[in-house]
């Protein structure tokens, strides 16, 4: 691994984790779509600030972009407050307007600068190590690594500082307001953090993939845990894993690193969706399967109890009779019989007679009186 | 009579920060104590509108100290809005609210709020204990983290509502009644002298209902004030001391025996009164005759008292009885 490859991977992990941390609260606050809006509209801030300072490396760009992000949130909320449009519609009205102005400005006035659309959409993480941060002639590493590192620290510090307040206002904004923690203030502080993160990450992975990094890892982690601290930790781990996975796949395929990182977040989310221990699709299928078997088993004990000791018992309480009487397939009847036997509710008598154990009789009676 | 501010406006709840073994000792009214002769919460000429649609219209009501007060009225009567305005969650179009003699911004620190269950996302990744600890956040203020003391207070509150065994559960595993008890416990740890509850009995199981009733009587025994939006009219006389009949306007308010009359209920509910047969208390038991006028000051101060104002129900502008003293 060359030094440059190492730097790109380190940057990718830092970007991913910096995005995933505020992303957790975006997902919990049901504001995922707002990250999409912010990551687009910040472009306007970047373009306007660039026209002013004529320097792509200036920190003014970050400040201006973050301000546009907060402006986006304010406009969305103002539009929503009119109650003429729903929140999703308000988002969809605001950010394309700001984004398209930015695109027009680039096309008209910045044709010769490298602010081209490819860079905007996908970023250029592979070239990030080329722009160095030098101080007194000493090379201190890639500039964007410093920027994103600082943003990551800021995000972590912000969440640590107002963890309690953010949690409360996310869970119950009414109580937060009643206790004197202004949900509006928290909202704007949080959205500023999201905006700054989006600006920083924009440089590395482009405006669209920021959304994938902010939303997919927390959404995957949400399927894996019901504890907030663990949610934050798992999101960060999944984000970091996506970054590394994406980098190596991109190297193999000779494809866009940022694109592969986004695909990796999607793949990991899909795996979580499939395999999560409690909320995953597989777990649900297994649960439904087991419940069906259990229910059928109880039905069987009731059937056996009903006919127990009657003249027709030897006829009714046979395994071979079940498909006819309970309308089960032969195969399913066999599985149910095996299940109740395992549970100790029924034993197989001579022939294919089924007989209740005392435990099974008890269970069936209990069900009948309920 | 204007209630005097009982404390300098530091925004904290009145009384010493924690309860000693002798309770809050409301008998010995020291300088730090609440002035119990004035109302716990006083609402004057309150009008609240959502987009020019009045939800509360010129409402005057005073909530007695140490009483359990029910707010009843039909759907859309503005019951929840009244509570949320008192908490400062809804901005009134006009009117004045005093909580223990203080304006809402300071006074609401003295209020513990039990919102409707459905107002939060119960799928939020957190535990029962954690939700109850949230009640201590107001005391902690910005940036300070809850510690062992807060967790112990939360466990104690959970025990009071019979939920201590559920402390470590995820909140999404709770039944409706258990959710309600968790919210009640969260309000209890706020250790506030006033409790505002939005339909605490709504759709709960019998066990939860008993637990809430028990907590309410504990609170009354301690001298705390409880104000609850309530739907089941038949339990009002059993559970509450005072009642406010609300339907955009205040129809009547005061002690249950005097105010909770068939006539008032008919005025409030527009003739269709649920469970009217179950309502005890003959009309006019020691109360002023209907239409005798209201001792609550205010009508003169508001131009919209009657006439020009659209009356939501026929006869709603009449204020039959007012037992609030």
């Amino acid at each position: 691994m060359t030094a440059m490859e190492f730097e790109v991977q380190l940057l990718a992990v830092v970007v991913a984790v910096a995005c995933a941390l505020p992303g957790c609260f975006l997902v919990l606050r049901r504001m995922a779509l707002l990250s999409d809006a912010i990551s687009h509209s910040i472009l306007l801030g970047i373009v306007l600030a660039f026209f002013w300072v004529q320097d792509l490396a200036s920190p003014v760009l970050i400040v201006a972009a973050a301000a546009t992000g907060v402006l986006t949130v304010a406009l969305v909320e103002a539009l929503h407050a009119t109650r003429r449009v729903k929140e999703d519609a308000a988002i969809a009205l605001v950010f394309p307007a700001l984004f398209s102005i930015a695109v027009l400005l680039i096309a008209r006035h910045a044709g010769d600068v490298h602010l081209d659309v490819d860079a905007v959409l996908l970023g250029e993480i592979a070239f990030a190590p080329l722009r160095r941060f030098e101080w007194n002639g000493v090379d201190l590493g890639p500039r964007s690594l410093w920027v994103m590192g600082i943003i990551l620290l800021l995000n972590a510090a912000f969440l640590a500082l107002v963890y309690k307040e953010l949690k409360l206002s996310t869970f119950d904004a009414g109580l937060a307001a009643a206790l004197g923690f202004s949900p509006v203030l928290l909202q704007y502080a949080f959205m500023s953090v999201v905006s700054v993160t989006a600006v920083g990450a924009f440089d590395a992975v482009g405006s669209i993939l920021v959304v994938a990094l902010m939303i997919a890892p927390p959404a995957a982690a949400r399927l894996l845990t019901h504890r907030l601290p663990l949610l934050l930790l798992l999101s960060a781990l999944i984000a970091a894993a996506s970054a590394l996975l994406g980098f190596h796949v991109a190297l193999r395929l000779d494809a866009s690193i940022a694109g592969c990182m986004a695909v990796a977040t999607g793949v990991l989310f899909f795996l979580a969706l499939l395999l999560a221990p409690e909320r995953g699709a597989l777990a649900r299928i297994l649960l439904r399967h087991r419940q069906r078997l259990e229910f059928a088993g109880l039905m069987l004990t009731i059937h056996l109890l009903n006919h127990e000791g009657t003249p027709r018992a030897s006829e009714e309480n046979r395994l071979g009779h079940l498909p006819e009487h309970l309308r089960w397939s032969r195969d399913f009847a066999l599985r149910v019989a095996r299940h109740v036997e395992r549970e100790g509710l029924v034993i197989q008598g001579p022939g294919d007679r089924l007989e209740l154990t005392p435990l099974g009789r008890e269970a069936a009676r209990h069900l009948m009186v309920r | 009579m204007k209630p005097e501010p009982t404390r300098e406006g530091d925004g904290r709840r009145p009384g010493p920060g924690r309860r000693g073994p002798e309770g809050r000792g409301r008998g010995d009214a020291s300088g730090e104590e609440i002035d119990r002769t004035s109302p716990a919460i006083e609402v004057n000429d309150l009008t609240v509108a959502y987009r020019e649609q009045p939800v509360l219209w010129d409402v005057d009501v005073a909530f007695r100290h140490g009483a359990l007060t029910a707010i009843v009225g039909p759907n859309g009567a503005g019951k929840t809005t009244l509570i949320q305005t008192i908490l400062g969650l809804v901005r009134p179009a006009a009117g004045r609210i005093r909580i223990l003699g203080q304006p809402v911004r300071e006074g609401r620190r003295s209020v513990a709020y039990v919102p409707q269950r459905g107002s939060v996302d119960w799928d939020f990744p957190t535990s029962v204990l954690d939700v109850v600890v949230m009640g201590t956040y107001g005391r902690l203020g910005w940036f300070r983290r809850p510690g062992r003391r807060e967790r112990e207070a939360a466990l104690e509150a959970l025990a009071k509502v019979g939920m201590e065994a559920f402390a470590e559960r995820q909140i999404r595993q709770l039944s409706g009644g258990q959710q309600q008890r968790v919210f009640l416990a969260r309000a209890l740890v706020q250790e506030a002298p006033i409790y505002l509850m939005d339909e605490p009995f709504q759709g709960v199981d019998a066990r939860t209902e008993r637990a809430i009733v028990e907590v309410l009587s504990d609170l009354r025994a301690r001298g705390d004030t409880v104000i609850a939006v309530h739907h089941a009219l038949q339990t009002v006389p059993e559970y509450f001391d005072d009642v406010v009949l609300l339907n955009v306007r205040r129809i009547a308010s005061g002690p249950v025996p005097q105010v909770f009359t068939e006539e008032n209920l008919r005025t409030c509910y527009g003739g269709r009164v649920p469970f009217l047969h179950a309502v005890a208390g003959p009309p006019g038991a020691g109360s002023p005759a209907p239409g005798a006028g209201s001792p609550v000051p205010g009508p003169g101060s508001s131009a919209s008292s009657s006439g020009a104002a659209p009356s939501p129900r026929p006869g709603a502008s009449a204020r039959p009885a007012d037992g609030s003293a």
Side-chain angles (χ1 to χ4, degrees):
Chain A
M1 187 166 51
T2 65
M4 192 163 146
E5 277 175 9
F6 174 75
E7 283 174 356
V8 171
Q9 286 183 67
L10 185 60
L11 178 61
V13 168
V14 169
V15 169
V17 174
C19 285
L21 289 180
C24 286
F25 280 95
L26 279 174
V27 168
L28 290 176
R29 294 166 85 92
R30 301 174 186 220
M31 292 165 65
L33 205 54
L34 215 47
S35 70
D36 193 23
I38 288 177
S39 65
H40 281 78
S41 58
I42 53 171
L43 184 61
L44 183 59
I46 293 177
V47 172
L48 291 176
F50 174 70
F51 285 159
W52 185 40
V53 297
Q54 292 290 327
D55 175 13
L56 270 177
S58 165
V60 175
L61 264 63
I62 292 185
V63 175
T68 336
V70 175
L71 176 74
T72 309
V73 178
L75 286 176
V76 167
E77 292 198 341
L79 208 55
H80 183 222
T82 65
R83 297 188 188 218
R84 299 292 190 277
V85 289
K86 297 260 183 283
E87 183 154 24
D88 57 342
I91 292 174
L93 284 166
V94 169
F95 87 80
L98 301 181
F99 185 64
S100 54
I101 294 171
V103 170
L104 282 177
L105 285 175
I106 294 176
R108 291 280 301 165
H109 302 292
D112 50 343
V113 196
H114 88 241
L115 249 182
D116 56 276
V117 172
D118 273 4
V120 167
L121 294 184
L122 292 173
E124 41 195 26
I125 196 169
F127 302 136
L130 298 180
R131 281 167 288 151
R132 312 298 293 184
F133 180 53
E134 285 181 15
W135 200 59
N136 284 344
V138 184
D139 179 17
L140 293 175
R143 205 180 66 89
S144 36
L145 191 55
W146 278 92
V147 173
M148 279 319 290
I150 290 170
I151 289 175
L152 173 59
L153 286 180
L154 278 178
N155 287 357
F158 174 78
L159 290 184
L161 193 65
V162 295
Y163 176 77
K164 157 183 126 233
E165 290 79 4
L166 207 55
K167 181 174 70 176
L168 175 61
S169 78
T170 303
F171 175 64
D172 190 345
L175 184 69
L179 292 181
F181 304 107
S182 164
V184 179
L185 187 69
L186 280 163
Q187 160 90 338
Y188 278 100
F190 175 59
M191 287 332 263
S192 305
V193 165
V194 171
S195 297
V196 170
T197 310
V199 184
F202 165 93
D203 200 33
V205 298
S207 67
I208 293 180
L209 303 181
V210 170
V211 182
L213 291 178
M214 280 195 176
I215 304 306
R222 185 74 192 83
L223 295 168
L224 300 173
T225 179
H226 301 300
R227 298 201 176 269
L228 189 49
L230 213 55
L231 180 74
L232 288 161
L233 184 69
L234 278 176
S235 298
L237 288 177
I238 292 171
S242 308
L244 294 177
L245 191 64
F247 175 83
H248 287 286
V249 170
L251 224 54
R252 273 302 134 72
L253 301 180
D254 193 20
S256 151
I257 294 173
C260 288
M261 279 168 65
V263 170
T265 62
V267 168
L268 290 186
F269 171 77
F270 187 70
L271 283 178
L273 193 64
L274 216 58
L275 303 175
E278 199 181 319
R279 296 189 159 191
L282 214 59
R284 297 240 160 163
I285 291 170
L286 286 176
L287 181 70
R288 210 171 311 140
H289 188 77
R290 206 174 57 234
Q291 280 173 338
R292 195 165 147 237
L293 208 60
E294 259 162 31
F295 179 73
L298 293 173
M299 254 167 73
L300 177 58
T301 60
I302 290 174
H303 171 76
L304 295 179
L305 184 70
N306 273 343
H307 294 283
E308 204 173 42
T310 66
R312 284 174 49 78
S314 58
E315 171 68 20
E316 291 278 352
N317 292 359
R318 279 189 311 115
L319 183 58
H321 178 72
L322 296 180
E324 186 191 322
H325 188 92
L326 294 169
R327 295 198 193 158
W328 290 341
S329 74
R330 196 157 291 279
D331 188 41
F332 185 66
L334 213 61
R335 286 219 316 269
V336 175
R338 242 181 286 141
H339 170 74
V340 287
E341 227 175 330
R342 255 201 323 270
E343 299 279 304
L345 301 173
V346 171
I347 45 168
Q348 292 238 18
D352 64 349
R353 273 285 294 272
L354 295 172
E355 293 191 14
L356 286 169
T357 64
L359 184 67
R361 210 166 287 128
E362 191 56 42
R365 285 217 181 92
H366 182 69
L367 281 167
M368 299 287 274
V369 297
R370 219 174 22 189
Chain B
M1 51 166 191
K2 280 238 168 74
E4 288 300 312
T6 51
R7 279 170 67 79
E8 57 287 2
D10 63 352
R12 295 281 144 194
R13 74 179 196 84
R18 60 209 56 83
R19 219 162 266 139
E22 74 278 18
R24 210 179 280 132
R26 62 202 149 97
D28 49 293
S30 62
E32 283 283 275
E33 282 302 322
I34 303 164
D35 173 12
R36 297 197 158 265
T37 55
S38 61
I41 295 180
E42 201 176 20
V43 175
N44 292 119
D45 307 325
L46 182 71
T47 297
V48 181
Y50 292 132
R51 280 190 295 160
E52 286 80 52
Q53 179 73 33
V55 186
L56 290 173
W57 197 258
D58 196 24
V59 168
D60 289 300
V61 64
F63 295 96
R64 256 199 316 143
H65 260 299
L68 307 183
T69 304
I71 301 175
V72 302
N75 287 331
K79 305 181 295 286
T80 295
T81 303
L82 177 59
I83 281 195
Q84 292 190 335
T85 314
I86 290 172
L87 283 162
L89 304 180
V90 173
R91 192 186 290 269
R96 200 184 81 132
I97 295 172
R98 284 286 179 276
I99 303 169
L100 300 175
Q102 294 178 318
V104 168
R105 275 192 72 84
E106 287 85 46
R108 69 179 178 191
R109 304 282 178 120
S110 311
V111 178
Y113 175 39
V114 183
Q116 283 184 22
R117 267 201 334 270
S119 65
V120 303
D121 172 16
W122 288 96
D123 201 26
F124 193 83
T126 191
S127 67
V128 166
L129 184 65
D130 206 33
V131 169
V132 178
V133 168
M134 286 178 189
T136 66
Y137 285 8
R139 260 203 308 284
L140 289 169
W142 284 89
F143 311 129
R144 262 179 60 207
R145 295 290 190 90
R148 219 182 62 180
R149 235 184 62 193
E150 282 71 29
R151 274 197 299 279
E152 274 166 8
L155 280 171
E156 203 178 303
L158 276 172
K160 279 185 196 145
V161 298
M163 288 286 291
E164 68 271 43
F166 292 80
E168 291 306 320
R169 285 279 183 99
Q170 293 305 303
I171 57 171
R172 66 192 205 99
Q173 298 169 323
L174 300 179
S175 72
Q178 291 166 342
Q179 291 173 354
Q180 193 64 58
R181 280 185 273 160
V182 169
F183 263 4
L184 192 60
R186 190 179 70 172
L188 290 176
V189 297
Q190 289 188 42
E191 294 191 346
I194 302 174
Y195 291 80
L196 287 187
M197 306 185 182
D198 201 346
E199 304 205 13
F201 294 104
Q202 182 63 32
V204 300
D205 51 293
R207 182 159 176 226
T208 300
E209 180 140 359
R210 276 199 307 277
I212 299 174
V213 168
E214 216 165 279
V215 167
L216 290 188
S217 66
D218 276 0
L219 292 176
R220 175 170 42 193
R222 248 168 37 189
D224 290 335
T225 306
V226 178
I227 299 160
V229 172
H230 195 59
H231 254 302
L233 291 182
Q234 72 271 34
T235 51
V236 167
E238 188 189 339
Y239 292 169
F240 294 96
D241 308 315
D242 289 4
V243 65
V244 174
L245 300 178
L246 192 72
N247 189 356
V248 184
R249 292 162 177 279
R250 191 213 51 177
I251 306 301
S253 66
V256 171
Q258 281 125 58
V259 172
F260 203 61
T261 62
E262 188 175 330
E263 189 182 349
N264 282 343
L265 284 168
R266 276 197 202 289
T267 312
C268 186
Y269 283 83
R272 301 187 336 274
V273 184
F275 314 116
L276 192 58
H277 57 278
V279 172
S287 71
S294 161
V296 176
S301 63
S302 166
S304 57
S305 262
S306 62
S311 181
R313 299 245 185 249
S317 58
R319 290 171 178 154
D322 189 284
S324 61

